[in-house]
Amino acid sequence: MSCENIGISPALAAGERTLAPVKSLTFLEGVAMIVGTNIGAGVLSIAYASSKAGYLPLLFWLVLVGCVTTISMLYVAESTLRTREHLQLSGLARRYVGGFASWVMFASVCVNSIGALTAYMSGSGKLLQSLLGISPALGSLLFFIPAALVLYLGLKAIGRGEKFISIGMVAMLSALVIATLLKETTQMRNLLDGDWLFMVPVFSVVVFCFSAQYIVPEMARGFADKPAQLPKAIIVGMVTTFVLLAVVPMSVIALSGLGNISDVATISWGQALGQWAFFSANIFALCAMLTSYWGLGGSFVSNIFDKFRLGDDERPLRRFGVLMVVVLPPFALAYSGLVSFVNALYFAGVFSGVILSIMPILILRGARKHGDQVPLWQCNWITHPLLQVSIILLYLGSAVYAIASLFGYLPAGW
């Protein structure tokens, strides 16, 4: 989908944002933030989450949810470009929808972020246990230290970290996919196995895989000096995300079959290809968790500062205090025994998906009525009411299914 086709103008009026960004992002860093945030725990879990449904239902959801999420992100992008003050999602909801909406939006950020960070703590421990033979708790601690440090350093450090690690992830993934295609035991017919009856639960995990909506306002801070690049970075980042999300489960399922997939899929993927691939696949998985941890964790920190009006998020002591609120509960939850890796993503995706299907529509409508300025770039045809209603009904239907399956009225997906 080209920028022109959805109404992106080649330029925006100069001086639209009155506040300079704390630290400017390059276009590649912006794209890497989206790819790195999306390619986290989700990419490791969707093969397992589709172990009953199969690859084709998964691919169907990847296409549909990828398009819908990109539209939602562009709604948020236009809203930020209509607003001079740099606000996070909860702040945009407060200004354009109301106080209650702001709390609902903030709750969505909390649930999604805590669910994700809990999954990363759990998953990183399992991966480092398989790589180094250490306990899962110690593995999670080793992951936690660099993850929290970069979060503390802020937006520019996150952007640079995402860029370099994302490039390495693409290189590792390319090698693994090529090796999979060349492996004599790879059976592409495995991609046709499965049962479409189980396709609905896969939807919510796929929603979680496209979780970068939360970082659009944070990216807007970094693109305040070049706002025309914001929607373009979103589209490039989301297309890249789709390719990676499609290729990883395709390779795992073709190689191992639906019946031999672990919940952190790169473990079984690497074991099937051999020792070198075992280490490569799990290093890729750690990188994926790390970049997504930075993206969602950084957005969570910024939303707390915004929601509670704590002022400058660069103040060392204040940032450290907020950081502890963000990173310590997921570490504790990961070893509480209350949630599994995939279920943490599933229910986070259900709740946040419903909120993010409705709130960006309301925020955009409010911004078009009460915003500070009219940007040259606007969403145009993707704001058609029929499309917006379809998006809301899709996510509400998934939430109803999740509640029904929780109480045993419908089949679980894995």
Side-chain angles (χ1 to χ4, degrees):
M1 159 166 63
S2 70
C3 295
E4 291 77 8
N5 286 340
I6 60 167
I8 295 178
S9 171
L12 290 117
E16 286 180 340
R17 307 304 291 273
T18 59
L19 300 175
V22 175
K23 290 176 181 175
S24 179
L25 293 171
T26 67
F27 180 79
L28 184 57
E29 286 170 351
V31 171
M33 282 186 69
I34 289 181
V35 175
T37 301
N38 285 329
I39 305 299
V43 74
L44 309 178
S45 65
I46 53 176
Y48 178 78
S50 59
S51 57
K52 289 185 179 179
Y55 182 72
L56 293 182
L58 171 62
L59 185 63
F60 170 81
W61 287 131
L62 287 173
V63 173
L64 182 60
V65 175
C67 292
V68 166
T69 306
T70 303
I71 290 170
S72 176
M73 293 172 73
L74 292 171
Y75 289 171
V76 177
E78 182 183 328
S79 301
T80 64
L81 296 178
R82 288 179 176 272
T83 310
R84 287 194 178 93
E85 187 180 1
H86 291 285
L87 300 174
Q88 297 298 314
L89 279 173
S90 57
L92 290 168
R94 179 179 62 242
R95 173 166 179 181
Y96 295 123
V97 188
F100 177 74
S102 176
W103 280 109
V104 171
M105 190 72 253
F106 183 71
S108 174
V109 173
C110 291
V111 169
N112 188 76
S113 299
I114 291 173
L117 302 188
T118 300
Y120 302 154
M121 287 295 101
S122 172
S124 63
K126 290 181 181 180
L127 286 173
L128 286 171
Q129 180 187 37
S130 67
L131 285 169
L132 304 178
I134 59 178
S135 70
L138 178 58
S140 294
L141 183 63
L142 293 177
F143 174 88
F144 173 83
I145 294 171
L149 177 61
V150 171
L151 273 190
Y152 175 77
L153 294 175
L155 178 62
K156 189 62 179 178
I158 292 171
R160 286 182 174 173
E162 299 266 20
K163 178 177 69 175
F164 290 118
I165 293 184
S166 293
I167 291 171
M169 284 165 53
V170 171
M172 283 187 285
L173 182 60
S174 299
L176 289 165
V177 170
I178 291 171
T180 298
L181 294 176
L182 295 176
K183 182 78 171 177
E184 63 277 2
T185 57
T186 297
Q187 301 289 335
M188 299 305 289
R189 65 172 177 268
N190 289 341
L191 302 179
L192 302 177
D193 294 340
D195 187 344
W196 287 78
L197 177 66
F198 296 97
M199 69 178 293
V200 178
V202 180
F203 171 82
S204 293
V205 180
V206 172
V207 168
F208 188 89
C209 294
F210 292 103
S211 56
Q213 298 104 310
Y214 296 98
I215 71 167
V216 172
E218 190 73 351
M219 289 174 61
R221 294 176 67 201
F223 282 123
D225 55 340
K226 43 186 178 296
Q229 293 193 11
L230 176 60
K232 296 176 183 178
I234 289 171
I235 294 171
V236 172
M238 291 298 286
V239 170
T240 305
T241 295
F242 166 77
V243 172
L244 295 176
L245 289 175
V247 163
V248 170
M250 179 194 75
S251 300
V252 173
I253 292 171
L255 184 63
S256 303
L258 293 176
N260 299 297
I261 303 172
S262 61
D263 59 349
V264 180
T266 48
I267 295 176
S268 52
W269 191 12
Q271 287 172 339
L273 283 175
Q275 192 73 8
W276 73 270
F278 174 76
F279 284 101
S280 298
N282 287 295
I283 291 171
F284 164 81
L286 280 173
C287 290
M289 290 185 182
L290 191 60
T291 54
S292 192
Y293 188 102
W294 289 337
L296 290 176
S299 173
F300 194 12
V301 168
S302 297
N303 270 278
I304 291 174
F305 271 93
D306 187 2
K307 179 61 186 171
F308 297 103
R309 305 187 184 188
L310 299 178
D312 184 8
D313 64 3
E314 297 276 307
R315 293 182 182 180
L317 288 178
R318 190 168 295 181
R319 186 172 182 86
F320 180 79
V322 171
L323 185 67
M324 292 300 100
V325 172
V326 168
V327 301
L328 292 181
F331 190 91
L333 278 173
Y335 292 95
S336 67
L338 297 176
V339 290
S340 74
F341 179 73
V342 177
N343 283 333
L345 307 184
Y346 176 62
F347 288 105
V350 169
F351 179 78
S352 62
V354 171
I355 302 304
L356 284 172
S357 70
I358 299 171
M359 203 62 69
I361 296 172
L362 300 179
I363 289 172
L364 178 59
R365 290 182 178 181
R368 287 183 168 182
K369 291 179 180 178
H370 306 295
D372 302 312
Q373 60 220 354
V374 179
L376 294 181
W377 173 76
Q378 298 181 44
C379 292
N380 292 345
W381 65 267
I382 59 173
T383 60
H384 193 283
L386 186 60
L387 178 59
Q388 293 178 343
V389 170
S390 299
I391 291 171
I392 293 171
L393 291 176
L394 177 66
Y395 283 84
L396 287 176
S398 172
V400 170
Y401 188 103
I403 294 169
S405 64
L406 180 65
F407 290 99
Y409 294 113
L410 291 171
W414 48 85

